[in-house]
Amino acid sequence: MLELLELVQRKNWEALILNIGIDKISFFTSDLYLPMDDLAKARKEDPNKYLIGIGQSKQAVIRNSQDAVTLAANAAWQILDEKERQSIDLILFGTESGVDNSKSAAVYLQSLLGINAQASGVELKQACFGLTAGIQLAMGHIALHPKSRVLLVGADIARYGIKTAGEPTQGGGAVAMIMSANPRILKINPESAHLTKDIMDFWRPLYRSEALVDGHYSSQEFIDFFQSTFQQYSAKTGQGLNDFAALIFHLPYTKMGLKALRSVLEEAPDDQIAEGLLARFEDSRQLNREVGNLYTGSLYLSLLSLLQARSLREGDQIGLFSYGSGAEGEFYTGEVVQGYERMLDTSVSEQLRQRKPVSVTEYEEIYRSFMAAQPSDFVTDYQNDPARFALKGQKDQQRQYVERKD
Ligand code: HMG
């Protein structure tokens, strides 16, 4: 009798772990952007180097009144209602732009969003991989607690420095997701392939607000990590290119994903499969082209971009490649759920269209106006920031946040 009960429970559990994934998704970035052709002209580069060679049209210009916490809050509140605020039991905050060396950004977020105090929350750091680490942790958490609703956010500001080679690959913003059982957007398959290597391709010492990077080396490692994890996944599961409707990537700049995809397309069984993957890749980079690197959120902005194109059907398999410098890479897969279109926020493209362009001089002024890591009081330009949540500044060495209520 006991054995039978255990079997039934085990069978249910197996069914459950095949039915966990992304139930809601939202995105936020600044209301300001820099046109990449203006930046190219100012840096005496051919605009096509940025537009085609790097694959970026616009770059989000993050105000000094936004940080990882407010970017995350502005993304997440769009998918929260009172019921959700009470149901969430775990907050996983992926970021490499943390605002404190001790206190987790998840605690600030919980308070700003009014999420119930019984929910726990932590910050996850491994460069751009932090949010993907959160996805894998959420899978295990939901398998143990099937009624759980997990809030995940990836929020960052990508800063390399004015007139550096990394400058055209800056950007910023946040993606927020709710993961649960019976997801309404994407079921995540439990199998994944992972690779970790201690390398110095991109890093940010504690005293710096801008990253240090060995750009060409990092781009080569990105491709090697993709090939290696994709091969590992294929060996584990027997799945190859023909099993996927789309392969999507962390997009530090959109050409990076294209280069990685092209590096495996020779193995495609026929031209139709290769062309299909290239067409879906184009869908998946549209939003990223307009924003730049989000670090932790980039892969998930690309997912949103792909889903918004509405070219996928129920049951289609998507392969997702996550890369975080330093470095960790992971290839995992998901299955598109029937009716996913109904769960997508239709205003994202409109929000991007409504942004205001800034000149290169204005962008440089905003860039230099950021609050440095220092003890004195500071007031940001929060009064000019139309976002719901903003950083007001620092008082007595404590960050001050404001919410503009409707
Ligand atoms: P660069 O040296 O200025 O550019 O830096 P380039 O000379 O290599 O040119 C870029 C591309 O433009 C090349 O194409 C050129 O041929 C092309 P590719 O050979 O790569 O296919 N090009 C043109 N195309 C059309 N018309 C033209 C023209 N001129 C040139 N007229 C670099 C580029 C990406 C290295 C730099 O911007 C950089 O260092 N960026 C930051 C690092 C980065 O994004 N690395 C990506 C992998 S690491 C990663 O993804 C992790 C990360 O997100 C951080 C994290 O994990 O936290 C960064």
Side-chain angles (χ1 to χ4, degrees):
M1 182 63 186
L2 189 66
E3 246 175 60
L4 185 65
L5 199 69
E6 271 171 12
L7 201 68
V8 169
Q9 280 171 345
R10 213 175 129 223
K11 218 168 153 207
N12 285 345
W13 191 75
E14 277 165 6
L16 169 71
I17 58 170
L18 292 174
N19 198 11
I20 297 173
I22 300 170
D23 191 55
K24 294 182 184 174
I25 184 166
S26 62
F27 163 66
F28 175 81
T29 189
S30 168
D31 63 312
L32 305 177
Y33 74 89
L34 177 63
M36 292 302 280
D37 36 7
D38 290 355
L39 182 64
K41 282 175 208 144
R43 300 297 177 245
K44 303 196 174 17
E45 295 280 6
D46 179 346
N48 281 339
K49 175 174 172 182
Y50 293 176
L51 299 172
I52 301 167
I54 298 279
Q56 292 300 134
S57 309
K58 293 173 185 167
Q59 178 170 110
V61 174
I62 307 295
R63 292 174 180 271
N64 70 1
S65 47
Q66 291 293 319
D67 65 9
V69 170
T70 57
L71 291 169
N74 283 311
W77 82 273
Q78 302 171 43
I79 48 173
L80 299 187
D81 55 19
E82 198 39 41
K83 190 169 166 230
E84 199 76 90
R85 285 185 174 84
Q86 295 312 320
S87 311
I88 289 167
D89 64 339
L90 179 61
I91 303 168
L92 296 172
F93 196 132
T95 185
E96 56 178 295
S97 323
V99 299
D100 193 286
N101 285 328
S102 174
K103 180 169 170 172
S104 146
V107 175
Y108 285 113
L109 188 67
Q110 187 164 5
S111 154
L112 276 178
L113 294 174
I115 293 170
N116 74 86
Q118 285 70 47
S120 69
V122 288
E123 188 173 310
L124 303 168
K125 181 175 72 180
Q126 176 25 59
C128 299
F129 178 70
L131 180 50
T132 301
I135 297 255
Q136 298 300 345
L137 293 174
M139 293 284 288
H141 177 81
I142 297 164
L144 285 175
H145 309 281
K147 289 189 180 153
S148 167
R149 294 190 67 80
V150 181
L151 172 64
L152 296 107
V153 288
D156 281 295
I157 304 173
R159 281 166 70 92
Y160 290 92
I162 290 169
K163 297 184 183 159
T164 62
E167 187 181 37
T169 63
Q170 295 181 133
V175 173
M177 292 177 275
I178 296 285
M179 274 183 64
S180 67
N182 304 314
R184 287 170 287 180
I185 296 178
L186 190 74
K187 284 186 211 171
I188 295 176
N189 300 316
E191 197 66 84
S192 68
H194 191 93
L195 182 66
T196 302
K197 255 171 42 177
D198 181 4
I199 57 170
M200 296 304 279
D201 61 332
F202 167 108
W203 68 107
R204 186 164 67 83
L206 286 174
Y207 67 92
R208 289 182 66 99
S209 63
E210 297 89 20
L212 294 170
V213 63
D214 188 342
H216 291 280
Y217 174 53
S218 70
S219 301
Q220 191 49 54
E221 284 295 333
F222 183 110
I223 294 174
D224 290 353
F225 269 66
F226 168 59
Q227 290 179 342
S228 170
T229 53
F230 184 62
Q231 277 162 14
Q232 206 192 118
Y233 187 88
S234 297
K236 275 184 184 180
T237 62
Q239 288 185 310
L241 288 176
N242 50 325
D243 292 297
F244 296 103
L247 292 181
I248 63 171
F249 300 84
H250 164 55
L251 291 178
Y253 53 97
T254 73
K255 177 77 168 291
M256 182 75 257
L258 184 60
K259 282 162 59 145
L261 177 61
R262 281 179 179 156
S263 80
V264 294
L265 281 186
E266 269 182 17
E267 293 156 28
D270 59 50
D271 289 352
Q272 213 185 338
I273 286 168
E275 280 158 22
L277 290 171
L278 282 167
R280 295 294 79 74
F281 176 76
E282 285 307 319
D283 293 340
S284 77
R285 69 161 157 171
Q286 292 313 312
L287 295 177
N288 303 66
R289 272 197 80 93
E290 303 283 308
V291 182
N293 198 350
L294 298 192
Y295 289 162
T296 46
S298 284
L299 171 60
Y300 301 93
L301 180 60
S302 179
L303 173 64
L304 185 57
S305 189
L306 173 66
L307 294 170
Q308 278 206 349
R310 291 168 160 69
S311 47
L312 297 174
R313 288 180 312 225
E314 176 192 357
D316 276 350
Q317 296 287 322
I318 305 178
L320 301 95
F321 174 65
S322 180
Y323 180 79
S325 282
E328 291 197 45
E330 187 154 301
F331 182 82
Y332 71 101
T333 65
E335 182 183 316
V336 175
V337 175
Q338 189 210 2
Y340 72 94
E341 301 94 331
R342 290 194 293 276
M343 296 304 293
L344 302 177
D345 178 1
T346 49
S347 69
V348 173
S349 304
E350 189 50 33
Q351 274 175 38
L352 290 181
R353 266 194 296 276
Q354 283 176 4
R355 294 179 300 170
K356 292 182 283 297
V358 294
S359 67
V360 174
T361 311
E362 286 167 321
Y363 139 70
E364 290 181 0
E365 277 166 15
I366 294 170
Y367 185 97
R368 292 195 177 100
S369 72
F370 265 68
M371 182 168 78
Q374 44 79 34
S376 45
D377 288 357
F378 187 91
V379 180
T380 68
D381 298 326
Y382 72 97
Q383 276 164 327
N384 296 322
D385 189 340
R388 185 177 185 97
F389 297 96
L391 172 70
K392 194 172 172 189
Q394 175 172 279
K395 194 165 185 327
D396 301 331
Q397 304 199 54
Q398 296 179 14
R399 291 176 101 80
Q400 310 291 312
Y401 291 108
V402 283
E403 180 179 1
R404 185 176 290 114
K405 297 217 165 119
D406 299 328

